Amino acid sequence: MKDVIVACDFSSAKDVLDFLDKFAGCERKPFVKIGMELFYAAGPEIVREIKGRGHRIFLDLKLHDIPNTVRKTMKVLSSLDVDMTNVHAAGTVEMMKAALEGLTREDGTRPLLIAVTQLTSTSEERMREDLLIDRPIAEVISHYAANAKSAGLDGVVCSPLEASEVKSACGQDFMAVTPGIRFADAASDDQVRITTPLKARTMGSDFIVVGRPITAAEDPVAAYNRCVNEFIYGKDNC
Ligand code: C5P
């Protein structure tokens, strides 16, 4: 089922809770992404607090370390009862398998686990010049996605522009979680491989991750509803 995930990139518990208070009267409780900034500032307690308010949570810590460290860290994170978390696919298949093992609780349940392919701020040119990866970005992303699938993960984080390629490489059920979302009439900030919520829908994204277009909007609830209308219901707001 498609949903809009709001990237709550705030640096304190107060800021994020004040922000979420704006949605108190809304019918739909936003799926919340807690990333490094907020987690390092406010710790596991903010995860429990937001979960306690009834939001689903994507804990976006993008783990990338040796397999043993990732396994043990995921074991700790699995006790936080989040709905989704992630690793970098660049950490190798062995690391992704270790992550899955660590995340799986004794009763067999676990949050969804997805892998970052290439950050949506990375262009093909930067990949080639900074990372010395010469292959076309689409090929790299499909390959990383196939690695994630073979490790048993549920999907990948990628640009909506790559979602259909990921699906053809890994199957329709393999999830594409896509940041790099901007409204048709807005600035791109530091994102490079971007598209609108409506286009992300037609391109096959399962979840869109939207930060500044909602958090920095004059009316965040209206911006969130615009994303929901475009992405979930396919309505063109423009
Ligand atoms: O503000 P904006 O909409 O650009 O926020 C996008 C969010 O998605 C950020 O929290 C960023 O860390 C995250 N993200 C991303 N690209 C990825 C993975 C995660 O932009 N490949």
Side-chain angles (χ1 to χ4, degrees):
M1 202 193 57
K2 290 190 187 299
D3 209 344
V4 174
I5 301 178
V6 182
C8 288
D9 294 324
F10 294 99
S11 55
S12 76
K14 181 181 183 318
D15 286 351
V16 70
L17 295 177
D18 285 351
F19 171 75
L20 291 175
D21 281 346
K22 298 185 204 294
F23 295 84
C26 300
E27 202 180 304
R28 196 180 186 92
K29 255 188 207 301
F31 198 131
V32 166
K33 181 173 89 70
I34 297 177
M36 288 186 251
E37 183 183 0
L38 183 59
F39 192 76
Y40 291 145
E45 199 40 55
I46 194 64
V47 177
R48 293 189 193 99
E49 170 77 32
I50 295 174
K51 187 79 193 175
R53 290 178 172 216
H55 295 271
R56 282 183 295 157
I57 294 179
F58 169 21
L59 187 58
D60 176 26
L61 299 181
K62 300 188 181 70
L63 300 193
H64 188 175
D65 208 317
I66 59 172
N68 186 53
T69 302
V70 169
R71 181 186 300 104
K72 288 164 72 184
T73 305
M74 280 299 184
K75 199 170 167 55
V76 173
L77 295 183
S78 79
S79 69
L80 282 178
D81 194 25
V82 296
D83 299 277
M84 187 188 292
T85 190
N86 62 357
V87 292
H88 267 286
T92 75
V93 172
E94 190 192 347
M95 190 209 74
M96 290 190 272
K97 284 184 176 164
L100 200 64
E101 266 173 43
L103 201 60
T104 306
R105 305 181 189 101
E106 274 177 16
D107 63 3
T109 62
R110 63 168 176 83
L112 293 168
L113 181 61
I114 58 177
V116 176
T117 51
Q118 282 290 329
L119 296 171
T120 42
S121 54
T122 306
S123 64
E124 194 161 272
E125 187 190 10
R126 292 276 55 86
M127 231 176 56
R128 196 172 51 242
E129 291 182 12
D130 296 0
L131 308 179
L132 296 183
I133 300 174
D134 279 333
R135 305 287 187 95
I137 200 161
E139 186 184 333
V140 173
I141 284 160
S142 294
H143 183 66
Y144 283 22
N147 284 351
K149 173 144 179 155
S150 78
L153 272 61
D154 304 296
V156 287
V157 186
C158 62
S159 155
L161 308 171
E162 291 127 17
S164 70
E165 213 136 347
V166 163
K167 300 256 176 190
S168 23
C170 302
Q172 289 304 314
D173 292 346
F174 195 67
M175 286 175 4
V177 178
T178 65
I181 302 294
R182 290 295 179 269
F183 292 124
D185 48 2
S188 61
D189 303 312
D190 56 348
Q191 295 284 17
V192 177
R193 305 188 324 275
I194 54 171
T195 193
T196 65
L198 188 62
K199 280 211 181 111
R201 172 191 170 88
T202 58
M203 289 171 159
S205 299
D206 296 285
F207 292 91
I208 53 170
V209 177
V210 190
R212 287 161 289 180
I214 295 175
T215 56
E218 224 164 272
D219 183 345
V221 175
Y224 172 72
N225 286 334
R226 182 174 172 186
C227 287
V228 168
N229 283 332
E230 285 193 31
F231 183 66
I232 300 179
Y233 301 113
K235 293 185 194 154
D236 192 350
N237 286 271
C238 296

